[in-house]
Amino acid sequence: MFTRNGFSFTGLDRVQREMGRVFTNVFDNLERAPERTLPAINMWETDDALLAEAEVPGLTMEQIEVFVMNDELTLKGRRSAPQTENGTFHRRERRAGEFTRVVTLPAPVNADAVEATLRDGVLTIKLPKAAEARARRIEVKGV
Amino acid sequence: MNTETNAVSCMKQTAQPTAALYAWTYRPDVDIVEMADEWQLSADVPGASAGDLDVNYERGVLTIHARVSDRQAADTRFVSREYGVGDYFRRFEIGEGFDAAGVRAELATGVLTLHLPKAARAKPRKIAVQAR
């Protein structure tokens, strides 16, 4: 979409790019759409780091992958469908299947220092900001 | 932007805050499976811990209530907020056909699994038909 040179990415463009990517993942396999789950992500920042959190109940560490490249965070996982050989489902609301979610980060991060923890179905990712992105207090001198 | 928010917000169904619980309350997704001797109910309750979980089966009504406190401080600088954190609550009218003393609950990886054994009289019983 944005292939012209010299096109600067403002905040709005970044949102549109991310939207495009989300839709690509969801609508790629429309026939299998009911299988796809898309975890919601909350993101907040401190002066030193970006933090992201996603609720991924039923997933173990082996079923999740987290990638960081340039200014993108990718969450990839697979939730297996519940196995019940001799049972009858009376209600089935919990979604199972693969998901891939790509989020654009609002600040550059130090990809080598990213940490991710999974506890009680909540995935928390800490992305320390790159040195140039940390807020620096500028001293105001009176003249 | 609106469509994306809808796509992810339907994952977590909210209920209006009630007077008794003055906070956002969420309705967890469940799977209900009937086996030969018991029913299994699995509910997605990420962020809940066993100590804050109440499961109650009384007079035919099964109630699940998990108290979940905010994981971030109120002054957190959010960049993007797609879901909220709050208590989980769901209630089912399942009747009296279950052995209340034998109900077992397990919590692992944010999923609550309940085993509700059928009461003896609720198990299928073959009835012999006599010809006259």
Side-chain angles (χ1 to χ4, degrees):
Chain A
M1 255 185 275
F2 301 101
T3 52
R4 293 232 163 186
N5 288 334
F7 201 110
S8 66
F9 289 102
T10 63
L12 181 59
D13 297 335
R14 194 162 54 212
V15 167
Q16 286 180 322
R17 266 197 308 155
E18 202 219 309
M19 270 181 61
R21 215 174 273 115
V22 169
F23 283 127
T24 306
N25 288 329
V26 172
F27 294 117
D28 255 354
N29 308 308
L30 199 50
E31 315 84 52
R32 297 198 298 124
E35 277 187 20
R36 297 220 134 197
T37 68
L38 214 54
I41 296 178
N42 283 350
M43 198 182 299
W44 64 98
E45 66 174 333
T46 64
D47 287 339
D48 296 326
L50 284 175
L51 292 112
E53 187 192 82
E55 293 184 331
V56 287
L59 286 170
T60 59
M61 282 184 336
E62 295 78 30
Q63 293 168 309
I64 295 184
E65 288 173 293
V66 177
F67 301 100
V68 175
M69 189 160 98
N70 295 333
D71 63 345
E72 284 182 354
L73 169 70
T74 302
L75 243 62
K76 207 166 171 175
R78 175 178 197 94
R79 180 171 180 176
S80 36
Q83 306 130 320
T84 36
E85 307 89 24
N86 315 315
T88 319
F89 273 94
H90 287 268
R91 195 170 280 227
R92 191 159 180 180
E93 297 170 356
R94 296 157 69 217
R95 280 169 256 201
E98 286 181 8
F99 64 83
T100 303
R101 182 93 199 264
V102 183
V103 176
T104 305
L105 301 168
V109 297
N110 181 3
D112 294 324
V114 174
E115 295 170 356
T117 48
L118 178 63
R119 190 199 160 138
D120 287 339
V122 177
L123 176 70
T124 308
I125 305 165
K126 183 172 177 186
L127 307 116
K129 289 184 183 172
E132 63 268 15
R134 295 199 194 162
R136 253 179 287 258
R137 194 179 170 143
I138 301 189
E139 196 187 315
V140 177
K141 293 189 193 140
V143 175
Chain B
M1 191 65 165
N2 276 337
T3 322
E4 181 197 342
T5 314
N6 287 339
V8 294
S9 65
C10 68
M11 300 284 304
K12 202 166 188 186
Q13 301 167 49
T14 59
Q16 294 304 313
T18 66
L21 330 151
Y22 196 68
W24 285 105
T25 302
Y26 297 92
R27 191 168 159 271
D29 286 342
V30 302
D31 284 345
I32 302 181
V33 184
E34 179 183 359
M35 319 280 279
D37 288 332
E38 66 172 12
W39 285 57
Q40 283 176 11
L41 187 149
S42 307
D44 280 349
V45 287
S49 52
D52 296 324
L53 200 58
D54 276 332
V55 177
N56 194 29
Y57 174 46
E58 195 180 326
R59 279 184 240 148
V61 176
L62 176 71
T63 307
I64 298 169
H65 181 208
R67 276 177 302 278
V68 178
S69 38
D70 262 330
R71 293 192 278 273
Q72 279 77 48
D75 60 350
T76 305
R77 283 147 44 190
F78 277 95
V79 169
S80 136
R81 200 165 190 181
E82 295 173 358
Y83 64 90
V85 174
D87 290 1
Y88 292 104
F89 184 85
R90 197 143 178 198
R91 188 167 259 172
F92 296 93
E93 288 192 21
I94 56 175
E96 306 270 7
F98 295 97
D99 176 15
V103 174
R104 287 184 299 117
E106 293 154 4
L107 182 64
T109 65
V111 178
L112 169 71
T113 306
L114 294 179
H115 297 268
L116 304 147
K118 296 182 189 177
R121 58 183 173 76
K123 289 186 194 159
R125 232 187 330 235
K126 201 164 165 93
I127 298 170
V129 177
Q130 279 152 347
R132 276 240 194 139

